[in-house]
Amino acid sequence: MADVIVVGGGAAGLMAAISAAEAGARVRLLEGNVRPGTKILMSGGTRCNVTNETVTEKQFNTSGSPNVIRRILRAFSADETVAFFAALGVVLRPEPETGKLFPTTDDARTVLDALLARLRTLHVELTTGARVTELAPTADGFALTLADRRTLAAPTVVVATGGRSYPTTGSDGTGLELLARLGHRLVRQSPALTPLVLDGPMPRALMGVTLPARLTLHRGDKPLLAVAGSTLVTHFGLSGPAALNVSRHWERLGWDDDTIQLRADWLPDLALGGLETALLDAGRRHPDRTLGGTLGRLLPNRFADWLLGQLAIDGATRLDALRKDDRKRLVRWLTDGPVPVVATKGYSKAEATAGGVALDEVDPSTLQSRRHPGLFLCGEVL
């Protein structure tokens, strides 16, 4: 008989099991897959970005509950996270340009192996291939039914089954459905951190090109939000941090609103009006330079050549011979160009799920359910 059963062996479930065992509880961890921690191994491009140098409630879409997020983050800060992993023998170091903290090995396996070793040290009973299909309160706690019809019981249960992203890893929404059947209110879910699918010739022509961008979501002419970061052109559309971060907003707004548009500034480091000023200055200083050569100093050559072809502007044009309307068209496309999003890659490629159990359904100090004492929720189910 376990004191605590943790359902879900991802990052949240592993940490919950370790914390409960460190507090003296007898813990059993149930994982539906044949091995735990699949998403840990996928995270950060298999390097595993554990946390960030700076973590605040402002970095989360909190569904109107920033105070709850603030309290949760204070309970286990980024510095405490670094110390926790250091005690397990995993040293984290920051990526200078982003502040993301990765293991010095740049290998997600380092993180997972350390967590599993800690479980073994604490004598946590890990059961894989144990998919929970029913969860019901009883007089003594909770009864759990597995897919093979086995039943288990415990006075305390932690649900850490994830959201709906990458369902092949086990987070297919089953945990959310279990919690909904127990009366918990769910906030609408949608894929987050998922690549964008584009219409038009850009993906095939520029597959593999990486460059910075500021992506701005508009409703008509009104900008709604902007996200900046590295952007990767793929064979189907866009990926990379900027595209992934804007995807959840497009998912919420773009499917059923034809006025929603995504636009891109492909030279986000230049000040407003900076590109046109730079072209005019270069034309005065170096009139014999070609337009293609000048753009090649600012952009990847493949990108510059493709864009000039799309705009039917000859890259061999000398800067002193560049027509005003061609310059205006070029500047407009590079600083506020259309990005014809038609879809996202959805849950199948999403790194995270937006939405889940509403935060006011749990006590922010403990994450215990307000509806069922002894039931705790953590991770992406929230």
Side-chain angles (χ1 to χ4, degrees), residues 6-72:
V6 178
V7 185
L14 291 169
M15 288 296 290
I18 289 170
S19 297
E22 287 180 339
R26 294 171 298 170
V27 182
R28 185 168 187 178
L29 175 59
L30 305 179
E31 166 56 42
N33 284 336
V34 294
R35 58 181 63 88
T38 303
K39 283 189 180 176
I40 292 176
L41 297 179
M42 297 165 58
S43 65
T46 73
R47 293 167 58 211
C48 190
N49 48 314
V50 175
T51 185
N52 197 291
E53 289 182 299
T54 303
V55 185
T56 76
E57 69 278 4
K58 295 177 182 178
Q59 295 163 301
F60 293 80
N61 178 24
T62 62
S63 301
S65 304
N67 291 334
V68 174
I69 294 293
R70 189 182 305 116
R71 290 176 68 176
I72 292 171

Side-chain angles (χ1 to χ4, degrees), residues 10-278:
L14 291 169
M15 288 296 290
I18 289 170
S19 297
E22 287 180 339
R26 294 171 298 170
V27 182
R28 185 168 187 178
L29 175 59
L30 305 179
E31 166 56 42
N33 284 336
V34 294
R35 58 181 63 88
T38 303
K39 283 189 180 176
I40 292 176
L41 297 179
M42 297 165 58
S43 65
T46 73
R47 293 167 58 211
C48 190
N49 48 314
V50 175
T51 185
N52 197 291
E53 289 182 299
T54 303
V55 185
T56 76
E57 69 278 4
K58 295 177 182 178
Q59 295 163 301
F60 293 80
N61 178 24
T62 62
S63 301
S65 304
N67 291 334
V68 174
I69 294 293
R70 189 182 305 116
R71 290 176 68 176
I72 292 171
L73 293 175
R74 284 177 179 171
F76 194 67
S77 67
D79 289 342
E80 289 172 297
T81 304
V82 172
F84 170 85
F85 279 99
L88 299 186
V90 179
V91 178
L92 303 177
R93 66 180 174 196
E95 185 177 65
E97 59 271 24
T98 66
K100 296 176 181 178
L101 292 173
F102 294 88
T104 54
T105 60
D106 281 332
D107 185 355
R109 174 63 66 180
T110 304
V111 174
L112 179 57
D113 286 350
L115 293 173
L116 294 177
R118 184 60 177 155
L119 286 183
R120 290 191 292 271
T121 300
L122 294 167
H123 305 292
V124 172
E125 183 181 357
L126 171 61
T127 305
T128 58
R131 185 175 176 79
V132 176
T133 57
E134 295 178 35
L135 174 63
T138 66
D140 301 317
F142 298 89
L144 302 89
T145 304
L146 306 186
D148 61 7
R149 307 314 298 168
R150 281 184 294 165
T151 58
L152 302 170
T156 301
V157 170
V158 179
V159 176
T161 50
R164 298 181 182 275
S165 54
Y166 267 106
T168 54
T169 65
S171 53
D172 57 2
T174 298
L176 291 168
E177 293 163 10
L178 292 174
L179 293 167
R181 290 204 292 268
L182 287 174
H184 288 97
R185 180 171 61 85
L186 302 185
V187 174
R188 172 190 168 192
Q189 299 102 64
S190 60
L193 300 178
T194 189
L196 303 174
V197 179
L198 304 188
D199 193 12
M202 182 181 182
R204 291 287 182 182
L206 298 179
M207 180 174 60
V209 171
T210 300
L211 70 168
R214 180 181 294 108
L215 302 179
T216 304
L217 204 62
H218 288 73
R219 177 177 281 117
D221 293 329
K222 180 183 179 182
L224 301 177
L225 61 97
V227 177
S230 178
T231 305
L232 168 67
V233 184
T234 70
H235 66 283
F236 56 79
L238 296 180
S239 189
L244 295 178
N245 283 327
V246 84
S247 65
R248 67 185 171 94
H249 303 288
W250 193 92
E251 278 281 350
R252 294 291 177 102
L253 300 170
W255 283 110
D256 53 5
D257 188 341
D258 292 338
T259 67
I260 297 296
Q261 289 184 321
L262 189 65
R263 307 189 73 80
D265 180 353
W266 299 106
L267 293 165
D269 293 333
L270 290 180
L272 184 65
L275 176 58
E276 185 156 27
T277 299

